[in-house]
Amino acid sequence: QAKLVESGGGPVVAGDSLRLSCVAAGRAFNSMNMGWFRQAPGKEREFVAALSWSGSMTHYADSVKGRFTISRDSAKNAVYLQMNNLRAEDTAVYYCAADTSGIWDTEYVVERLTYKYWGQGTQVTVSS
């Protein structure tokens, strides 16, 4: 049974950093494009970052560009989101996701319905 499990979230103050981890179990995800999304209370789940299966291509939401970095370790079947200079508006539940389509397009990877597998999320709370 394939699944994704996020970890690394927690409470921080503005300006701090966190690294979120997403570990895949049940099957290898190294051949899949990976994404990070987040959802704040009362808002829809929104795109944060995406990484191609090869690890050579990335795409970021404008709101996190220059502050967040997505990466993967295929040997560990894991994907990471390094978050620097966190702001209060970054507060949300963060989810990792995997796409089996093999398609890489910047307008495609930002869509929630692109992704087949989702984790249960990890809470990030940034206080001012």
Side-chain angles (χ1 to χ4, degrees), residues 9 13 19 59 74 79 102:
V13 299
R19 190 181 76 157
H59 184 59
S74 296
V79 62

Side-chain angles (χ1 to χ4, degrees), residues 38-94:
R38 66 187 183 186
Q39 187 166 19
K43 295 185 177 181
E44 295 185 354
R45 193 169 300 186
E46 66 177 6
F47 170 77
V48 176
L51 179 68
S52 66
W53 67 268
S54 67
S56 63
M57 293 177 286
T58 60
H59 184 59
Y60 297 93
D62 288 341
S63 60
V64 306
K65 194 174 300 181
R67 299 188 298 121
F68 291 10
T69 302
I70 186 172
S71 62
R72 70 195 305 160
D73 186 337
S74 296
K76 296 181 179 179
N77 213 22
V79 62
Y80 308 99
L81 184 68
Q82 177 66 45
M83 305 184 294
N84 296 329
N85 193 24
L86 285 161
R87 306 166 181 169
E89 53 263 41
D90 294 319
T91 296
V93 176
Y94 283 71

